[in-house]
Amino acid sequence: MSITYDSNYKTRKILLQYVPLDSLRALTRQLLRRTALPAEHADIIADALVTSELRNLQGQGQGVRRVRAYVERVASGDLNVHAPYEVVKESLCLALIDAHNGPGTVVAVRSMNLAVQKAKACGIGVVVVRHSTHFGSASYSASQALNHGCIGVSMTNAGPEMAPWGGIEPVLGTNPWAVAVPTGDREDDMPIILDMALTMAGKGMMGWLMRDRRRMPRTWAITKDGRETDDPAEAMDGTLLPIGDYKGYGLSLITDVLTGVLGGGAFGTQPYSNPAFQDVGHQFIAYDIDWFMDRQTFYRRMAEFIATIRNSRKRPGVEEILLPGELEWRRMQEKKQHGVPLDPDIYEDLRRLAAELDVAWPFT
Ligand SMILES: NC(=O)c1ccc[n+]([C@@H]2O[C@H](COP(=O)([O-])OP(=O)(O)OC[C@H]3O[C@@H](n4cnc5c(N)ncnc54)[C@H](O)[C@@H]3O)[C@@H](O)[C@H]2O)c1
């Protein structure tokens, strides 16, 4: 029997801890500022983690649960806080960057800004990065393009968790992509943001279902000997399945070509194999809409396109058609208003971390 996955999944058995957004943001900043990261970089990483916490589901693993890992990676020297952002090669519309094991989120934001700068000169800007580290949610850097009237594309390779189609051995990453498209110049104009890993789900989400004592869809992962399963525990040491069967496998392979192979860094089984040198590859693209047409014309065309999609006929039982990024947009509004529901394990971990770093605990 296949189990459908409610994309607005609400936990049944895990008691979430609601915290106010402002205090969570301040705490995350303070914790990261206690490290050797330059304050400006600590703030970028904090903002990215909190934004992911607002957009994503608790099990998806890109939010504030990562604070401890960042703090520890800085303390151990596994992350190079003084890494130069080296422009290896550059033309008017292209750049190749060596990130020298610097913080991936900061590298990603900087690279998207560079891609935007180049798009303003050429219509399009492409920045390929090698020797970077984990950059978090792909939409965070892709969205940097929005305020400049650009469409932003961010992609990255990742550690091997997916087998090639027909295989068992993990040799490809979840290799997420985000494409952020502005629909207007006002802050409340919801952009279209497709932000997706190329696997059906990640191990974080499987772990979450395991804790919630739920089965998982059989399309998510196979066991280590290649059997289908709906038991997240059994699949934890197996491999993740791609989106769209062999097509997702192909997309993941191509993403590694466009990031790791083309950038001159690690690819396939190599990224993340050495914790002290994750060697992650990224690519960032910015399209300057004004190069193609007047921006207001583009927005009108987008509105027409969106109306066509929304007004199309629905399948039985479907109440509304959503746009990419719409669920996350709604989650953000809801969490801003009613508080951020934290995984209780992460809440406790943050509390311990605050005590270890002598940061005042803001929640009662
Ligand atoms: N840095 C890394 O190594 C890494 C690796 C994997 C994932 N990630 C991040 O994890 C996050 C989660 O990724 P994911 O693939 O699990 O996301 P997801 O499956 O929840 O969503 C993927 C996309 O589908 C859209 N979507 C979902 N339901 C929809 C519906 N009913 N109608 C229309 N659109 C719908 C969402 O808006 C989103 O754009 C992302 O931010 C991703 O960048 C990062």
Side-chain angles (χ1 to χ4, degrees):
M1 188 192 71
S2 79
I3 297 172
T4 52
Y5 166 64
D6 168 10
S7 49
N8 231 348
Y9 171 76
K10 296 261 190 274
T11 174
R12 289 182 188 163
K13 305 190 182 71
I14 301 172
L15 196 61
L16 300 171
Q17 289 277 355
Y18 280 75
V19 299
L21 172 59
D22 288 349
S23 314
L24 180 64
R25 198 188 292 283
L27 173 68
T28 309
R29 274 194 185 174
Q30 284 172 46
L31 292 172
L32 287 163
R33 278 191 179 213
R34 282 284 201 269
T35 69
L37 281 163
E40 186 199 344
H41 293 179
D43 290 356
I44 292 173
I45 297 170
D47 190 56
L49 292 178
V50 171
T51 303
S52 297
E53 192 65 48
L54 292 180
R55 292 180 60 84
N56 292 337
L57 296 166
Q58 288 85 6
Q60 278 173 324
Q62 302 301 328
V64 295
R65 69 179 54 236
R66 296 225 173 228
V67 177
R68 178 177 286 281
Y70 282 118
V71 167
E72 288 179 355
R73 280 176 51 70
V74 173
S76 66
D78 283 353
L79 191 70
N80 183 1
V81 293
H82 303 297
Y85 180 83
E86 186 195 350
V87 181
V88 179
K89 204 174 167 187
E90 192 173 20
S91 73
L92 205 55
C93 53
L94 282 170
L96 175 63
I97 304 297
D98 188 329
H100 291 280
N101 204 29
T105 307
V106 177
V107 170
V109 166
R110 203 162 165 184
S111 300
M112 181 52 81
N113 288 337
L114 182 59
V116 165
Q117 204 181 306
K118 291 184 175 298
K120 293 294 170 188
C122 304
I124 189 167
V126 181
V127 176
V128 177
V129 179
R130 69 180 177 220
H131 305 329
S132 183
T133 57
H134 182 260
F135 79 11
S137 280
S139 52
Y140 189 73
S141 48
S143 299
Q144 307 297 318
L146 294 172
N147 288 338
H148 304 278
C150 289
I151 297 173
V153 180
S154 298
M155 66 183 92
T156 183
N157 65 9
E161 292 189 282
M162 181 207 291
W165 190 242
I168 295 179
E169 213 177 315
V171 294
L172 291 159
T174 51
N175 299 358
W177 275 69
V179 181
V181 183
T183 61
D185 287 332
R186 291 196 326 247
E187 210 166 286
D188 59 350
D189 290 321
M190 184 188 81
I192 291 195
I193 301 182
L194 175 67
D195 179 10
M196 58 174 197
L198 302 178
T199 48
M200 287 299 289
K203 295 252 164 107
M205 207 61 218
M206 284 159 51
W208 177 264
L209 290 192
M210 210 161 75
R211 278 170 61 201
D212 213 23
R213 281 170 273 145
R214 298 184 80 172
R215 311 301 280 184
M216 67 173 194
R218 299 181 81 87
T219 51
W220 278 17
I222 48 175
T223 61
K224 66 173 188 283
D225 50 355
R227 274 181 305 105
E228 268 191 16
T229 182
D230 63 0
D231 178 357
E234 199 185 29
M236 274 316 243
D237 56 355
T239 52
L240 301 176
L241 285 168
I243 57 165
D245 297 345
Y246 55 88
K247 298 183 187 184
Y249 148 60
L251 273 177
S252 173
L253 184 155
I254 294 298
T255 306
D256 215 350
V257 172
L258 297 177
T259 55
V261 179
L262 186 65
F267 53 85
T269 56
Q270 301 156 0
Y272 292 92
S273 54
N274 174 1
F277 188 62
Q278 293 183 337
D279 203 353
V280 183
H282 320 303
Q283 182 165 153
F284 305 91
I285 309 170
Y287 298 83
D288 184 23
I289 293 166
D290 287 323
W291 188 91
F292 293 85
M293 67 184 72
D294 167 66
R295 212 188 293 175
Q296 298 309 321
T297 307
F298 176 82
Y299 295 153
R300 275 196 301 278
R301 289 170 63 79
M302 282 303 297
E304 184 189 333
F305 186 28
I306 289 169
T308 308
I309 293 167
R310 284 206 196 281
N311 298 332
S312 62
R313 287 200 302 136
K314 300 166 201 52
R315 286 167 64 167
V318 172
E319 273 174 27
E320 65 176 325
I321 287 175
L322 298 170
L323 299 168
E326 193 159 14
L327 277 175
E328 289 81 357
W329 178 266
R330 289 183 189 177
R331 267 183 218 135
M332 280 181 84
Q333 313 306 326
E334 194 184 313
K335 290 179 190 179
K336 278 179 188 169
Q337 214 180 333
H338 302 293
V340 187
L342 290 183
D343 176 338
D345 287 1
I346 303 311
Y347 180 89
E348 282 311 321
D349 189 48
L350 287 174
R351 191 208 293 270
R352 280 193 299 272
L353 191 61
E356 286 162 32
L357 298 178
D358 199 19
V359 168
W361 183 243
F363 313 124
T364 45

